Amino acid sequence: MSTDQAARPRPALRPPVSRAPASPSLGTMLHATTSSISVLLLIVAAGALLHQPMLIPPLAASAALVHSTPALPLAQPRSLVGGHLLAALTGFAVLAVLGSATWAAALAGGLALAVMMFSRTQHTPAVATAVIVVLQAPRPARFLPLLLAATVLIVLAAMAATRAKRGGPAYPSYWW
């Protein structure tokens, strides 16, 4: 190393610049939170009326995604409804072939992602739907209509919530 290079001062280390989006306003956070809670309680109430639990963790994640980031492609009805249904069907296929085992559930989750990507219905919370199907082995004739009803309810609630809030993005950005 030359003496010229050794004498040069080293540049000061700078903290990395955050590329995360700005925090939403308090009103936006409150609206998203109350809208998400409302639709989840509605799903719970529907399940109670049917004497069948309808609220599964992936639906809570879906509600959070749709109400906090309604413009994302992952939050659109095509991805929300189609993703959950295709992931559930993938889970049932894996369950039929490999049975209910944790390793089969992991395989179902990965395969569900591939099916959603292929069909352009990516909805990341739906991967967990495939896992739940393999681990819980619900009856398809009961599970699939309830899952469809719950996902449609999330879409309808998001539509109502975005129309109730002035100035926010309208949901959905597209249907198909």
Side-chain angles (χ1 to χ4, degrees), residues 18-76:
S18 174
R19 297 192 194 277
S23 294
S25 70
L26 183 59
T28 298
M29 284 189 275
L30 184 61
H31 181 75
T33 301
T34 56
S35 299
S36 185
I37 289 170
S38 297
V39 72
L40 293 173
L41 288 173
L42 195 56
I43 291 170
V44 168
L49 287 173
L50 297 170
H51 303 290
Q52 177 74 34
M54 287 178 57
L55 183 63
I56 57 173
L59 293 177
S62 295
L65 179 67
V66 168
H67 289 284
S68 66
T69 54
L72 282 183
L74 297 175
Q76 301 311 306

Side-chain angles (χ1 to χ4, degrees), residues 9 25 39-40 55 68 80 88 101 131 136 144 164-165 170 174-175:
S25 70
V39 72
L40 293 173
L55 183 63
S68 66
L80 173 71
V131 171
Q136 299 291 317
L144 290 171
K165 183 176 188 249
Y174 59 88
W175 284 93

Side-chain angles (χ1 to χ4, degrees), residues 85-176:
L85 291 176
L86 287 172
L89 291 172
T90 303
F92 282 118
V94 169
L95 179 63
V97 173
L98 302 174
S100 181
T102 53
W103 65 270
L107 180 64
L111 289 174
L113 178 61
V115 168
M116 288 186 289
M117 290 176 76
F118 180 76
S119 63
R120 297 181 11 232
T121 58
Q122 296 99 308
H123 185 72
T124 50
V127 170
T129 298
V131 171
I132 286 172
V133 165
V134 172
L135 294 177
Q136 299 291 317
R139 293 188 336 230
R142 185 81 168 155
F143 185 83
L144 290 171
L146 292 174
L147 181 64
L148 175 62
T151 57
V152 168
L153 194 55
I154 291 171
V155 168
L156 294 174
M159 289 173 62
T162 59
R163 277 147 184 79
K165 183 176 188 249
R166 299 189 197 283
Y171 180 83
S173 296
Y174 59 88
W175 284 93
W176 192 250

